[in-house]
């Protein structure tokens, strides 16, 4: 039978090195104190180690059977000392009986009565087993803390992933059904426009589904979605919605979080244009600002300090930027020019 | 059945689509349309329709805001893209709503239901000559925070003045509406709704017991257990009315 070293568990490593070390120490002390290393000494040492191995293994079996490690701290301490004490007595009782039968007592030992030998040997064994149990309990305690930390970390990453997914997948159902309704009306009124509207809606739905899988998309793609989205909103709002793009050509290749601009534009429509009977204008600009990519969305309207009430777009944008870029990205939203709201995103260019 | 209807929706395409669907129902005559709540309010006051198709999300005021500003609401069918949660706010009343894009079958059901409701009420029909007065069969829209009701005036037992608001008592509910008691008194039929004192208007059909009170006043006990004091001056008027 072959035993691969890597297959030996930590427990058996500790057992073997521990008891091996114990035997070596015995020899070392015998040597330093100039005691004769006789055959009975070697046999005694051998029995001490073998018995120690067997008994501690039996002790561990009891610890596992009683589920001591799962108990409360008070109970663990109680069991810890109780079991250590019990097994020390058992250990010395067996070893002394064995030495007695086999006639392995040293000349000094023969002087004392058996009960006195038992007390002395038990105290010795108690110290040894105390160390054994301390190592055993501490090992498991440390192991458990480490596992808890690992679980917590895994949990965090799962939560983070889920958060990102739900944020990305967000498309306003109100928008989808209103668009479909508009398209149905256009089927008779303007069939050609109805056909493009269906394509535009498909593009938006497809990209919102793909957004879950992607960390970033080229700005050009994101912009195409926003253009489709605004075309559909213009179909619904007609002359009430005006759109204005100011895009620096070189920013088209920059990576951006998927559906982020889309969410901000959707917010601008929802809070800015759709609330206003006369409608309004949306301006989108993308340019370089130092070593940052700056996206600006402006819409007619006022914040009126109430953007916390329906702050899904704002809080989700903030947390998405934070998750992707840490503190090097930044998002602000403010009233400007008296009757406009400006949302501004700054993303580091080489931060990805 | 013939009903004059107004469509109120901010999207022209949505209004067109509904008009097209309604061509299958000759009993519904679309007399006008409005693209926001303000315009809707004016047209309802001016044209006095039997029925409105009302979108909830509109620029400026919502469909709910529009209803709260009406003294008397016509029959209402809500049309909305995705506001089921908002419609769940409705408690007691049988109100209908259509989800856009509207299914022709659902529209037929909703119109059929209007027809049936009308047959039930045919006996209680009172043709009020003066449309500025509210009759018992008129319904009002009441919104209190998240909850909304369509309430028939005959189901209201008491109006109580609370500052600029009036508390409306019906069933187990007591929501507030933004109307003064004096304004209400002007519009309510005084044969049914009696101004008992400075703070209360009582529905006379909801009185359970009448007891004499201090100073020649009266104490009215209305259904639900509330006790309302009638001032001496009003007590004279009350006795006069009751003896008739």
């Amino acid at each position: 039978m072959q035993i691969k070293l890597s297959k030996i568990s930590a427990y058996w490593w500790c057992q073997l090195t521990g008891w091996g070390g114990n035997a070596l120490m015995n020899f070392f002390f015998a040597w330093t104190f100039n005691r004769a290393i006789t055959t009975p000494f070697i046999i005694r040492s051998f029995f001490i180690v073998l018995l120690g191995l067997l008994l501690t293994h039996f002790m561990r079996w009891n610890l596992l059977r009683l589920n001591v490690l799962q108990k409360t701290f008070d109970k663990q301490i109680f069991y810890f000392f109780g079991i250590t004490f019990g097994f020390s007595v058992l250990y010395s009782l067996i070893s002394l009986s064995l030495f007695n039968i086999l006639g392995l007592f040293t000349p000094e030992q023969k002087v004392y009565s058996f009960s006195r030998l038992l007390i002395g040997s038990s105290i010795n064994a108690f110290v040894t087993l105390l160390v054994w149990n301390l190592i055993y309990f501490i090992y498991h305690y440390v192991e458990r803390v480490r596992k808890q930390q690992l679980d917590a970390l895994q949990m965090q990453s799962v939560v983070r992933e889920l958060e990102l997914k739900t944020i990305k997948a967000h498309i306003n159902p109100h928008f989808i059904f209103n668009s479909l309704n508009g398209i149905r009306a256009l089927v008779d009124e303007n069939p050609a426009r109805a056909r493009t509207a269906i394509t535009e809606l498909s593009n938006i739905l497809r990209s919102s589904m793909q957004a879950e899988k992607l960390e970033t998309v080229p700005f050009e793609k994101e912009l195409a979605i926003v253009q489709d989205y605004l075309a559909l909103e213009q179909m619904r709002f007609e002359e009430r919605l005006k759109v204005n793009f100011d895009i620096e050509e070189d920013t088209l290749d920059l990576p951006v979080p998927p559906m982020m601009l889309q969410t901000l534009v959707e917010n601008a429509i929802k809070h800015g244009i759709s609330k206003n009977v006369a409608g309004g204008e949306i301006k989108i600009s993308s340019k370089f600002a130092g070593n940052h990519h700056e996206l600006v969305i402006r819409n007619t309207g006022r914040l009126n300090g109430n953007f916390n009430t329906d702050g899904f777009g704002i809080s989700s944008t903030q947390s998405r930027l934070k998750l992707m870029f840490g503190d090097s990205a930044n998002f602000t939203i403010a009233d400007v020019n008296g009757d406009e709201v400006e949302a501004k995103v700054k993303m580091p260019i080489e931060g990805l | 059945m013939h009903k004059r209807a107004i469509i109120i929706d901010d999207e022209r395409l949505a209004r067109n689509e509904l008009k097209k669907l309604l061509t299958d129902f000759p009993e519904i005559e679309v007399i006008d349309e409005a693209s926001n709540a303000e315009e809707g309010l004016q047209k309802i006051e001016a044209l006095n329709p039997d029925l409105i198709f009302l979108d909830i999300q509109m620029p400026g005021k919502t469909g709910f805001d529009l209803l709260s500003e009406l003294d008397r609401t016509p029959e209402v069918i809500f049309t909305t893209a995705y506001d089921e949660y908002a419609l769940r706010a409705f408690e007691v009343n049988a109100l209908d709503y259509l989800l856009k894009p509207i299914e022709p079958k659902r529209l037929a059901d909703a119109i059929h239901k209007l027809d049936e409701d009308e047959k039930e009420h045919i006996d209680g029909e009172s043709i009020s000559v003066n449309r500025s007065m509210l009759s018992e069969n008129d319904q009002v829209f009441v919104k209190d925070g998240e909850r909304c009701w369509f309430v028939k005036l005959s189901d209201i037992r008491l109006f109580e003045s609370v500052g600029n608001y009036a508390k409306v008592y019906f069933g187990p509910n007591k929501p507030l509406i933004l109307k003064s008691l004096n304004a209400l008194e002007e519009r309510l039929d005084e044969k049914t709704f009696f101004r008992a004192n400075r703070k209360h208007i009582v529905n006379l059909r909801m009185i359970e017991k009448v007891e004499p009170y201090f100073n020649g006043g009266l104490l009215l006990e209305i259904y639900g257990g509330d006790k309302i004091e009638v001032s001496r001056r009003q007590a004279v008027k009350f006795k006069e009315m009751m003896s008739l």
Side-chain angles (χ1 to χ4, degrees):
Chain A
M1 190 180 72
Q2 263 195 328
I3 296 172
K4 277 194 189 148
L5 283 182
S6 59
K7 284 256 173 109
I8 300 172
S9 69
Y11 166 73
W12 282 109
W13 272 118
C14 288
Q15 277 284 42
L16 291 173
T17 47
W19 287 109
N22 185 288
L24 276 177
M25 277 227 308
N26 267 342
F27 280 100
F28 177 74
F29 281 121
W31 177 69
T32 44
F33 288 106
N34 273 328
R35 289 211 195 117
I37 295 176
T38 56
T39 320
F41 174 81
I42 294 171
I43 299 173
R44 252 203 325 267
S45 298
F46 174 74
F47 273 121
I48 286 171
V49 169
L50 185 70
L51 202 63
L53 258 177
L54 288 175
L55 262 178
T56 48
H57 190 59
F58 179 55
M59 185 163 76
R60 177 197 182 227
W61 181 78
N62 276 292
L63 288 174
L64 290 176
R65 191 176 55 102
L66 294 170
N67 242 334
V68 177
L69 289 169
Q70 306 327 317
K71 291 190 195 306
T72 59
F73 188 69
D74 305 359
K75 279 194 174 163
Q76 280 199 31
I77 292 199
F78 174 77
Y79 274 96
F80 177 84
F81 282 105
I83 285 180
T84 311
F85 177 75
F87 272 82
S88 323
V89 175
L90 189 67
Y91 183 30
S92 37
L93 195 69
I94 297 175
S95 62
L96 288 175
S97 310
L98 215 64
F99 295 164
N100 195 13
I101 293 163
L102 297 173
L104 289 171
F105 281 136
T106 57
E108 307 96 76
Q109 282 177 319
K110 283 174 187 159
V111 178
Y112 300 108
S113 68
F114 188 82
S115 51
R116 277 193 68 170
L117 281 177
L118 185 66
I119 293 169
S121 164
S122 293
I123 292 169
N124 251 334
F126 185 78
V127 175
T128 313
L129 292 186
L130 195 70
V131 172
W132 193 98
N133 270 327
L134 266 177
I135 294 174
Y136 186 82
F137 275 78
I138 289 172
Y139 175 83
H140 280 280
Y141 179 73
V142 170
E143 201 57 0
R144 193 153 66 181
V145 170
R146 217 172 54 175
K147 197 169 171 296
Q148 274 170 354
Q149 280 175 338
L150 209 70
D151 283 352
L153 274 176
Q154 268 173 346
M155 200 62 175
Q156 271 177 358
S157 72
V158 169
V159 167
R160 199 186 115 156
E161 209 172 297
L162 278 178
E163 269 176 4
L164 271 177
K165 268 192 184 166
T166 46
I167 292 168
K168 284 181 192 168
H170 175 78
I171 267 213
N172 186 356
H174 202 265
F175 161 74
I176 296 174
F177 291 114
N178 271 323
S179 300
L180 285 170
N181 195 43
I183 291 171
R184 198 164 82 176
L186 277 176
V187 166
D188 289 332
E189 191 183 308
N190 185 348
R193 181 69 190 94
R195 289 166 61 127
T196 34
I198 288 173
T199 316
E200 287 156 0
L201 187 59
S202 317
N203 284 344
I204 294 168
L205 292 176
R206 187 177 302 118
S207 78
S208 85
M209 286 167 195
Q210 280 169 348
E212 283 176 38
K213 298 184 202 111
L214 300 169
E215 279 283 298
T216 61
V217 290
F219 178 58
E220 191 170 13
K221 272 201 169 176
E222 177 77 0
L223 188 64
I225 296 308
V226 170
Q227 280 164 338
D228 281 346
Y229 170 75
L230 286 170
L232 282 172
E233 292 288 38
Q234 275 182 315
M235 169 190 89
R236 292 174 49 210
F237 290 113
E238 301 188 313
E239 69 286 350
R240 285 180 54 219
L241 173 61
K242 288 183 192 65
V243 179
N244 191 334
F245 287 99
D246 176 17
I247 310 293
E248 251 177 56
E249 188 100 16
D250 290 342
T251 58
L252 289 176
D253 298 328
L254 294 174
V256 294
M259 301 301 278
M260 185 184 72
L261 180 61
Q262 163 65 23
T263 308
L264 291 173
V265 172
E266 216 178 295
N267 260 18
I269 297 254
K270 187 172 161 201
H271 300 293
I273 313 299
S274 76
K275 292 227 169 116
N276 196 335
V277 177
E281 183 172 11
I282 289 195
K283 296 178 205 157
I284 297 167
S285 80
S286 165
K287 58 177 186 248
F288 288 101
N291 51 355
H292 280 75
H293 177 198
E294 189 181 89
L295 281 176
V296 178
I297 301 102
R298 276 195 189 181
N299 64 271
T300 323
R302 304 293 293 163
L303 278 176
N304 291 332
N306 62 1
F307 64 93
N308 282 328
T309 51
D310 199 344
F312 181 80
I314 289 166
S315 64
S316 83
T317 304
Q318 250 151 4
S319 56
R320 284 187 74 183
L321 287 170
K322 179 113 188 149
L323 286 171
M324 299 189 97
F325 302 102
D327 291 326
S328 49
N330 134 349
F331 172 68
T332 53
I333 186 159
D335 287 322
V336 290
N337 295 349
D339 67 338
E340 282 186 319
V341 177
E342 179 184 87
K344 191 188 280 181
V345 180
K346 275 186 161 184
M347 291 168 286
I349 285 169
E350 61 283 273
L352 283 161
Chain B
M1 177 182 81
H2 175 83
K3 285 196 188 290
R4 297 156 67 246
I6 294 183
I7 298 175
I8 305 166
D9 194 312
D10 58 325
E11 294 178 30
R12 184 187 61 86
L13 287 174
R15 296 195 300 269
N16 279 3
E17 180 61 18
L18 182 54
K19 267 194 288 186
K20 197 180 297 156
L21 285 168
L22 283 171
T23 50
D24 288 341
F25 302 91
E27 66 269 39
I28 307 289
E29 179 200 355
V30 179
I31 52 169
D32 208 341
E33 50 189 271
S35 66
N36 58 58
E38 207 54 59
E39 198 186 331
L41 266 172
Q42 288 165 11
K43 290 190 170 165
I44 291 169
E45 308 251 306
L47 302 169
N48 201 3
D50 308 301
L51 170 67
I52 54 176
F53 291 92
L54 182 62
D55 187 18
I56 296 172
Q57 301 272 339
M58 284 186 292
K61 291 173 181 162
T62 69
F64 291 135
D65 296 336
L66 180 153
L67 288 177
S68 335
E69 287 185 29
L70 286 171
D71 287 327
R72 167 202 314 124
T73 63
E75 290 184 276
V76 179
I77 294 179
F78 285 106
T79 62
T80 176
Y82 194 77
D83 288 293
E84 281 167 285
Y85 65 94
L87 294 162
R88 255 179 247 137
F90 286 89
E91 299 277 315
V92 214
N93 41 281
L95 120 135
D96 223 331
Y97 65 93
L98 300 168
L99 290 173
K100 291 187 277 192
I102 296 163
E103 216 183 305
K105 171 83 173 58
R106 281 281 294 120
L107 180 62
D109 289 346
I111 289 171
H112 183 66
K113 210 167 122 202
L114 290 177
D115 207 3
E116 295 213 319
D117 288 351
E118 179 154 292
K119 273 177 197 145
E120 266 175 41
H121 295 143
I122 209 104
D123 302 330
E125 186 101 30
S126 65
I127 300 140
S128 48
V129 187
N130 183 359
R131 286 302 293 185
S132 70
M133 286 301 284
L134 297 172
S135 86
E136 264 182 280
N137 285 315
D138 279 326
Q139 59 177 356
V140 289
F141 177 80
V142 181
K143 189 165 185 289
D144 186 28
E146 290 291 291
R147 309 198 328 172
C148 327
W149 299 265
F150 278 109
V151 198
K152 279 185 94 182
L153 281 180
S154 56
D155 292 333
I156 296 173
R157 55 180 185 272
L158 178 69
F159 292 96
E160 183 180 24
S161 162
V162 185
N164 288 329
Y165 292 84
K167 201 188 251 183
V168 186
Y169 287 67
F170 60 92
N173 309 299
K174 302 170 190 173
L176 288 171
I177 56 173
L178 183 54
K179 281 195 179 112
S180 75
L181 220 54
N182 286 338
L184 276 167
E185 193 187 8
E186 279 174 25
R187 305 294 307 275
L188 291 166
D189 183 357
E190 59 178 356
K191 290 197 194 71
T192 320
F193 288 95
F194 177 70
R195 181 77 182 248
N197 55 50
R198 231 163 26 81
K199 291 196 72 178
H200 297 101
I201 296 176
V202 185
N203 184 340
L204 292 174
R205 291 176 214 268
M206 294 280 194
I207 293 172
E208 207 173 11
K209 249 196 314 201
V210 183
E211 283 168 31
Y213 206 53
F214 303 114
N215 274 339
L218 291 169
L219 192 70
L220 307 179
E221 192 178 328
I222 54 177
Y223 293 116
D226 292 295
K227 288 189 174 136
I228 307 299
E229 200 185 316
V230 185
S231 63
R232 189 165 55 161
R233 197 161 63 93
Q234 288 301 92
V236 178
K237 205 171 158 196
F238 181 80
K239 283 175 197 158
E240 237 169 59
M241 283 177 70
M242 286 295 123
S243 62
L244 276 173

